[in-house]
Amino acid sequence: GAGVSQSPSNKVTEKGKDVELRCDPISGHTALYWYRQRLGQGLEFLIYFQGNSAPDKSGLPSDRFSAERTGESVSTLTIQRTQQEDSAVYLCASSLRAQYTDTQYFGPGTRLTVL
Amino acid sequence: GQQVMQIPQYQHVQEGEDFTTYCNSSTTLSNIQWYKQRPGGHPVFLIQLVKSGEVKKQKRLTFQFGEAKKNSSLHITATQTTDVGTYFCAGKINLGGTALIFGKGTTLSVSS
């Protein structure tokens, strides 16, 4: 079946604008994760969803960042009043459940550039 | 916060040489997962270790989980140019939150 998809693949925005990033998880996967990866850096956990609730939002860097999920489907990550330091690749992953032993399947990411 | 440390950050080898990356945590991990990210790509799951002292092999790759479940290693024998990429470990801290904690990764380059 289809893997995790993300849109857009690239987004260039001006400082101060809001952006919305979208993630479509693998069908049937109840858990969904958002990560940020700055150039040449590791994966920075942002938030994860079990169904449409977010038990762990500990990684969101500021109140400019928010995310929501509709049922066990699409999730959007919203960044308000973008700053240049928000420039990164935003990766979404899904897993069958939210068990730590479950494999996470990653999407191709959205490359965000804030000018 | 809790961290999973990986060393080295970068490693360059000649094709045919061996390569090892290490993953360390100050606290006990419930499990370790390893992922590989090719240049320009996204992380792809390689393997998971759960038991203390566990060793698993995938062709030229050998994965180990320490007896104390605080460290892990990935060893590649006789590297090939197709091994190029960044290798991430990820683990769950026993008493921590619910998400996996990823290390910063080791980027491997291989010259032929």
Side-chain angles (χ1 to χ4, degrees):
Chain A
V4 177
S5 61
Q6 292 186 246
S7 61
S9 55
N10 281 286
K11 177 71 177 178
V12 180
T13 189
E14 293 180 348
K15 178 181 174 181
K17 295 285 180 73
D18 297 351
V19 295
E20 272 192 3
L21 312 180
R22 175 186 169 110
C23 172
D24 280 90
I26 292 173
S27 178
H29 280 195
T30 63
L32 185 148
Y33 309 80
W34 283 100
Y35 296 91
R36 178 169 70 178
Q37 187 174 32
R38 291 196 167 103
L39 186 63
Q41 300 298 309
L43 298 174
E44 180 185 359
F45 168 77
L46 298 178
I47 187 172
Y48 101 93
F49 289 90
Q50 172 61 51
N52 62 4
S53 66
D56 191 344
K57 305 179 183 180
S58 62
L60 293 178
S62 76
D63 59 7
R64 297 186 296 105
F65 288 71
S66 63
E68 62 179 24
R69 187 180 185 194
T70 306
E72 293 184 352
S73 184
V74 172
S75 175
T76 54
L77 176 68
T78 302
I79 309 174
Q80 295 178 312
R81 304 180 303 281
T82 51
Q83 303 294 313
Q84 288 184 333
E85 63 262 28
D86 299 334
S87 296
V89 174
Y90 289 82
L91 288 160
C92 173
S94 71
S95 63
L96 189 60
R97 304 161 300 172
Q99 297 296 317
Y100 61 86
T101 50
D102 286 354
T103 299
Q104 295 187 23
Y105 297 86
F106 284 81
T110 294
R111 183 176 299 278
L112 174 66
T113 303
V114 182
L115 303 176
Chain B
Q2 303 291 351
Q3 287 192 353
V4 172
M5 310 297 292
Q6 267 188 269
I7 55 170
Q9 186 176 1
Y10 300 99
Q11 181 78 57
H12 176 79
V13 299
Q14 294 288 324
E15 189 172 23
E17 292 181 338
D18 293 354
F19 159 76
T20 304
T21 172
Y22 300 91
C23 183
N24 298 289
S25 170
S26 56
T27 57
T28 303
L29 300 168
S30 298
N31 68 325
I32 276 283
Q33 294 184 356
W34 286 92
Y35 291 77
K36 178 183 178 181
Q37 184 175 25
R38 294 182 185 277
H42 57 273
V44 174
F45 176 81
L46 293 177
I47 207 162
Q48 175 169 250
L49 305 170
V50 179
K51 299 177 183 175
S52 168
E54 190 170 10
V55 177
K56 288 188 176 180
K57 293 192 175 184
Q58 287 180 349
K59 297 182 180 178
R60 293 178 295 103
L61 277 60
T62 302
F63 303 84
Q64 292 187 320
F65 200 9
E67 293 288 343
K69 300 183 74 174
K70 290 184 177 181
N71 55 73
S72 180
S73 65
L74 158 59
H75 180 81
I76 303 178
T77 303
T79 55
Q80 299 176 357
T81 54
T82 52
D83 295 326
V84 164
T86 300
Y87 294 84
F88 294 97
C89 64
K92 180 180 180 298
I93 308 296
N94 269 340
L95 299 179
T98 49
L100 288 176
I101 307 297
F102 278 78
K104 292 190 181 299
T106 295
T107 298
L108 172 65
S109 60
V110 180
S111 54
S112 55

